[in-house]
Every structure is written in structure tokens, then in C-alpha cells.
Amino acid sequence: MAGFRSLARQVRDPRCDLALRRYSLRKCLERFAPYGHRATWDHLCSRAGFGPEDRSPDPARLVAALDELEEARSVWLAYEVEFAERRKREKHDGLRRPGSVDDWHRLTWGGFGVAWCDNPRVHPHEPLAEVLRRLISALEREPGSECPVCGGERLIWKYDLAHEPSSGPVCTECGIVVPRPVLTPEALATARRGRRLLVSA
């Protein structure tokens, strides 16, 4: 099975058939897709200026989408290296029990679904790398009450998500499932109450 870098080389290779180049970009999302496969594809297509169903997009637009994906992947891989080093230091210092960030991180290792968007058409508009930088910053500071990506204050608890965890607070503005560790207990409780109000309305 081809890895991310070899697939990226195919996307950039002008000697490859255009259909193969598009297919290779889609396959890259099996290795790294911060919003999930479908939402990340929709995001890349809209930012690069070609349609999700376009079978023969401009090769320059394919490469632009790949550039954005690669930059975001670099941001995430750097975070994972730092995360692994931190856990190693903590274990050395006798802290064996992982915290809530560690529990969340285990579900997103490799970068798949770190900012899961259950609705593939609703996702942040900013570049992927910027979204991940905001998310990482939120994971490294004290919990807050807003969406770490867009600053949205309206979070609604949703069930039956197509990702683990299968329920959680969703930002109604940018569509991400907000990682629980970045929210205060009060913000999580408010999101749950908002869900109940939505159901009873």
C-alpha cells in the first residue's frame, strides 16, 4: 500500500495521467484527513477551486490542494512528535496515568478526524494548517468555553457521530466536533443542555 509521500509524488508528477493524479490526492486522505475523508475532500476542493465530482480538474489546482494538505500534515506531525516526547518525560517522572488529552489523542493518532466534521459540507473555511494550529494551542492551554477553531460560542451535543467518540459537542458555526479536553465542564454541560432544548423545541 502506497504511503502519503509516494501518493503526493504522483499528484505532482506531470507524466501521470490526470485521473491517477486526482485519485492519488483522494488516497492521501486515507492517510491524513483532519475533518474526516469526505469533509476534508470538500474543503480542499472548495479552497483550490474545483468541484468534488470534477473528474478532470486543472492539475495546478490539484497541486494547490496537496500543498495545503501537506502543510497541515507537517503541523500535525510536529505536534505528535512533541506529544510523544512529553509522554515519555511524564512516564520518566512517574506520571503513568494518561490525562483526558491523551485519551482524545489516542483516537486521532496520525491526524485522521482531529477536527471531525460529521456533516461533510460544513467545515472551517480557514487553511487546514491554521485550523490545526488553533486546535493544538487550545490543547496546550487551560480549557475554555468556545470553539477553539472559530471562537463560536454555540455548541450543541450530538449523538450517533460517524467517528469516535460517537457523541460530543459540535460547533454550530464551523461544524467541528470540539475535543472535550479543550472545554470546561460548564461548557460541556451547556452543550448537553442545548441538545435537550433543541430536541424539546
Side-chain angles (χ1 to χ4, degrees):
M1 185 188 308
F4 185 95
R5 280 182 286 196
S6 63
L7 289 165
R9 278 194 297 273
Q10 288 180 344
V11 176
R12 285 200 167 87
D13 190 344
R15 295 167 301 175
C16 288
D17 176 77
L18 184 56
L20 174 62
R21 294 174 74 181
R22 180 186 180 277
Y23 173 79
S24 296
L25 180 60
R26 289 294 301 251
K27 292 294 281 184
C28 283
L29 301 184
E30 293 179 9
R31 312 302 185 276
F32 180 73
Y35 303 154
H37 191 285
R38 291 173 61 213
T40 304
W41 178 249
D42 191 79
H43 169 87
L44 292 174
C45 292
S46 63
R47 296 240 337 134
F50 62 94
E53 300 303 323
D54 187 350
R55 298 292 173 198
S56 51
D58 180 344
R61 294 180 188 274
L62 284 177
V63 172
L66 176 64
D67 287 343
E68 179 172 347
L69 189 65
E70 284 181 319
E71 183 186 0
R73 184 171 178 263
S74 295
V75 169
W76 187 252
L77 292 177
Y79 169 72
E80 287 195 333
V81 167
E82 173 53 35
F83 179 88
E85 289 172 356
R86 177 181 62 79
R87 282 299 295 140
K88 188 176 180 180
R89 287 192 303 272
E90 288 174 349
K91 287 178 182 177
H92 181 268
D93 294 339
L95 182 62
R96 298 266 171 204
R97 185 169 178 203
S100 61
V101 171
D102 305 270
D103 291 339
W104 171 82
H105 190 267
R106 226 181 346 268
L107 298 173
T108 60
W109 188 260
F112 188 82
V114 296
W116 183 262
C117 297
D118 216 50
N119 180 343
R121 297 250 179 232
V122 181
H123 43 73
H125 300 291
E126 296 79 12
L128 282 171
E130 178 58 27
V131 168
L132 292 183
R133 286 186 194 102
R134 292 178 189 179
L135 189 60
I136 290 166
S137 293
L139 289 165
E140 294 173 343
R141 65 176 181 256
E142 291 299 309
S145 60
E146 301 174 342
C147 171
V149 169
C150 71
E153 298 179 353
R154 188 154 159 73
L155 307 176
I156 298 294
W157 199 269
K158 291 199 175 176
Y159 295 92
D160 300 321
L161 300 172
H163 186 60
E164 283 299 321
S166 61
S167 66
V170 174
C171 176
T172 59
E173 291 180 39
C174 72
I176 74 159
V177 178
V178 179
R180 294 181 202 186
V182 307
L183 295 172
T184 63
E186 295 78 18
L188 291 168
T190 300
R192 285 189 175 100
R193 280 197 304 275
R195 169 65 184 175
R196 282 196 289 275
L197 292 172
L198 196 66
V199 168
S200 61

